Amino acid sequence: MNERGLQTGREWLACPSCDALHQRPDNPHQADGLCGACGHKLFAHNPNSLQRTLAFSLGGLVLFIPANIYPLVAVSSYGIKNQNDLISGPFDLLHYHMPGIALLVFLTSVVFPLVFMLGMAAVTGSSLMGRYPAWFPKRLRLTQMLNRWAMIDVYLLACLVTFVKLADLAEVDPGVGLYCLGGVLIFTVMASISFDPTLLWDRYARHKQGGRQ
């Protein structure tokens, strides 16, 4: 089901797998809907999707602050101790004349996750309150697009690889920021699982048509 079909109020759904047409139920989010021809899932029942997405995204935003303030890793070698935080990684790459990689790391580990969580909180909170400002469609599209670019898990994996590689060369201690970043990852994953853009588009379309939520 796509945005255009919802906004034009069509009464039929086309299966994305076999193109079979199905009459659209009054509320397609009360139970899972399967294609009668091929069995492809047309829509899924995700109870309390908006409430859970809002709660998880707000939890991730709260932990995102200390994840950027406190050090992720402390490395001690020959009496010299260095601490690295989430922001220092891209700047270190800039210092070693790798601006392209620095920008990519900064976007995928800081900017995109932050904008993604803010977007989920904004669109779900707005929909729960029954308010749909002019920015709602663009913000929802941006949030859907950033879902695949918020790569905190890759950053955490890089930290774990660092622990393994440096274990024999130096003393590596995880910092408070690393635990907070792990919490951000958990909340982000849970919010992504709960996030139902089809439901949001449906509620937005019914609001634009003057129907009840």
Side-chain angles (χ1 to χ4, degrees), residues 203-213:
R203 291 169 63 95
Y204 174 69
R206 283 186 281 144
H207 172 79
K208 296 292 288 185
Q209 294 168 3
R212 297 179 62 184
Q213 294 294 320

Side-chain angles (χ1 to χ4, degrees), residues 64 107-118 149-152:
F64 196 74
L107 290 176
T108 56
S109 63
V110 179
V111 177
F112 290 163
L114 178 60
V115 176
F116 177 57
M117 288 184 291
L118 286 172
W149 287 102
M151 298 183 179
I152 298 179

Side-chain angles (χ1 to χ4, degrees), residues 72-150:
L72 297 176
V73 180
V75 180
S76 301
S77 179
Y78 300 104
I80 301 176
K81 186 175 183 179
N82 293 318
Q83 292 183 335
N84 297 291
D85 52 38
L86 190 61
I87 301 296
S88 65
F91 286 100
D92 290 340
L93 291 171
L94 281 175
H95 178 73
Y96 289 104
H97 308 290
M98 292 184 284
I101 299 178
L103 178 61
L104 182 62
V105 171
F106 180 69
L107 290 176
T108 56
S109 63
V110 179
V111 177
F112 290 163
L114 178 60
V115 176
F116 177 57
M117 288 184 291
L118 286 172
M120 284 193 296
V123 295
T124 53
S126 177
S127 183
L128 284 171
M129 292 186 294
R131 299 177 181 178
Y132 296 91
W135 51 258
F136 184 88
K138 293 182 179 179
R139 184 67 59 85
L140 182 51
R141 293 190 193 98
L142 178 63
T143 304
Q144 289 182 258
M145 181 185 68
L146 290 179
N147 193 6
R148 69 192 67 179
W149 287 102

Side-chain angles (χ1 to χ4, degrees), residues 15-199:
C15 175
S17 178
C18 67
D19 294 329
L21 290 178
H22 302 78
Q23 190 170 8
R24 184 178 183 273
D26 293 334
N27 192 340
H29 305 284
Q30 291 182 345
D32 293 347
L34 303 178
C35 175
C38 68
H40 185 85
K41 181 176 289 187
L42 300 177
F43 47 82
H45 175 51
N46 196 355
N48 300 321
S49 168
L50 301 184
Q51 292 86 344
R52 288 188 288 113
T53 302
L54 179 60
F56 289 136
S57 57
L58 290 177
L61 287 171
V62 170
L63 287 179
F64 196 74
I65 298 175
N68 283 272
I69 296 177
Y70 294 101
L72 297 176
V73 180
V75 180
S76 301
S77 179
Y78 300 104
I80 301 176
K81 186 175 183 179
N82 293 318
Q83 292 183 335
N84 297 291
D85 52 38
L86 190 61
I87 301 296
S88 65
F91 286 100
D92 290 340
L93 291 171
L94 281 175
H95 178 73
Y96 289 104
H97 308 290
M98 292 184 284
I101 299 178
L103 178 61
L104 182 62
V105 171
F106 180 69
L107 290 176
T108 56
S109 63
V110 179
V111 177
F112 290 163
L114 178 60
V115 176
F116 177 57
M117 288 184 291
L118 286 172
M120 284 193 296
V123 295
T124 53
S126 177
S127 183
L128 284 171
M129 292 186 294
R131 299 177 181 178
Y132 296 91
W135 51 258
F136 184 88
K138 293 182 179 179
R139 184 67 59 85
L140 182 51
R141 293 190 193 98
L142 178 63
T143 304
Q144 289 182 258
M145 181 185 68
L146 290 179
N147 193 6
R148 69 192 67 179
W149 287 102
M151 298 183 179
I152 298 179
D153 51 341
V154 177
Y155 200 94
L156 280 176
L157 180 61
C159 292
L160 294 177
V161 172
T162 301
F163 291 159
V164 175
K165 294 293 185 180
L166 296 179
D168 296 333
L169 303 177
E171 182 180 350
V172 183
D173 298 318
V176 176
L178 186 64
Y179 294 109
C180 293
L181 191 63
V184 173
L185 174 61
I186 294 174
F187 278 119
T188 303
V189 171
M190 297 303 295
S192 300
I193 295 174
S194 303
F195 186 54
D196 189 352
T198 302
L199 173 60

